[in-house]
Amino acid sequence: MASAQARTQARTQAPVQARTQPPVQARTQTRRTQAQRTTETRRALLDATFDALVELGYRATTTTEVAHRAGLSLGALLHHFPTKADLLAAAVGHAFDRRLEEYRQAMAALDPAADQLDASVDLLWSMFSGPTSTAWLELWVAARTDPDLAAAVVAVDRQFMAACKQLYAEMYSAEDGSDDPAHPPIGLHLVYALLDGLALSRLIHGYEPHPTQEVLEAFKAMSHITIAALQQASEPPED
């Protein structure tokens, strides 16, 4: 009798308990598309290549090392980049994107109230003395004896310089859009030649053959003198 009453009570209480329990929310999980997975895998491999170039140098940046750093199998790497040349060619483009983004950020970060020339040289040097420049120089030096890599490096460098020239022109063009006589286009090449040389001379850890900061300060001082002379020369003669 007691057992029958217990079963009856359980049947009558069960619906109430079911109604009073909070609803279980369905867990939604967004599944990545194949294109998203491919993009993420390639980015992981290119980031790993970049890090290996900076930390180990070109020679030690092997496909096995890159796959290990990316947490992927060598087969997965070879699926996306069948040869080391393919991987490095893509890494060149990856380095270009990094360099251009750093350049844009450096130029956008200039304080309008600060001396534009001094601030731009300092910001550019922070870019040229960073890891992106180190990876780029590793590829540049290796390209000297690797025709396939050289073709990729040259193509990317031309893209980079074209973008930098455009930004330089936007910063230093005259009101009518023509070149500012006080800031001729060759000025960009002078700055880059200096910074490239300083960056290359500092590649050996612990050795700095040139007093970098003194060189930069002297360059800025000479640039101010040159710009003032060019501005004066471009002014119309007084009657």
Side-chain angles (χ1 to χ4, degrees), residues 43-64:
R43 180 178 295 277
L45 289 168
L46 294 177
D47 285 340
T49 304
F50 176 86
D51 292 341
L53 283 169
V54 174
E55 296 173 22
L56 305 177
Y58 172 79
R59 182 177 299 179
T61 301
T62 62
T63 51
T64 302

Side-chain angles (χ1 to χ4, degrees), residues 49-50 53-54 57-59 61 88-89 91-93 95-96 99 128 131-162 189 192-193 195-197 199-201 203:
T49 304
F50 176 86
L53 283 169
V54 174
Y58 172 79
R59 182 177 299 179
T61 301
L88 291 175
V92 169
F96 164 74
R99 291 189 81 197
F128 274 75
T132 301
S133 179
T134 301
W136 177 255
L137 287 174
E138 286 286 340
L139 293 172
W140 188 273
V141 173
R144 186 182 73 85
T145 55
D146 187 332
D148 293 334
L149 182 60
V153 167
V154 169
V156 167
D157 191 62
R158 285 176 174 162
Q159 294 177 44
F160 176 72
M161 287 305 301
H189 293 279
Y192 275 31
L195 300 183
D196 270 332
L200 183 61
S201 71
L203 274 184

Side-chain angles (χ1 to χ4, degrees), residues 168-185:
Y168 181 86
E170 292 172 0
M171 291 180 61
Y172 296 114
S173 60
E175 293 182 359
D176 61 358
S178 61
D179 292 339
D180 182 354
H183 297 87

Side-chain angles (χ1 to χ4, degrees), residues 15-112:
V16 176
Q17 292 175 348
R19 288 193 300 270
T20 57
Q21 289 178 350
V24 177
Q25 295 182 348
R27 290 180 296 178
T28 58
Q29 183 176 2
T30 304
R31 297 187 61 184
R32 295 175 300 165
T33 64
Q34 180 62 40
Q36 289 174 325
R37 290 194 295 271
T38 298
T39 299
E40 291 173 5
T41 299
R42 289 177 64 90
R43 180 178 295 277
L45 289 168
L46 294 177
D47 285 340
T49 304
F50 176 86
D51 292 341
L53 283 169
V54 174
E55 296 173 22
L56 305 177
Y58 172 79
R59 182 177 299 179
T61 301
T62 62
T63 51
T64 302
E65 174 65 25
V66 171
H68 175 73
R69 284 172 174 260
L72 298 167
S73 66
L74 183 59
L77 182 150
L78 295 176
H79 172 73
H80 292 279
F81 304 104
T83 67
K84 182 179 179 179
D86 293 330
L87 176 64
L88 291 175
V92 169
H94 196 52
F96 164 74
D97 292 338
R98 284 178 178 250
R99 291 189 81 197
L100 186 58
E101 181 60 26
E102 288 180 3
Y103 183 89
R104 292 183 184 279
Q105 290 178 358
M107 294 298 102
L110 288 178
D111 183 356

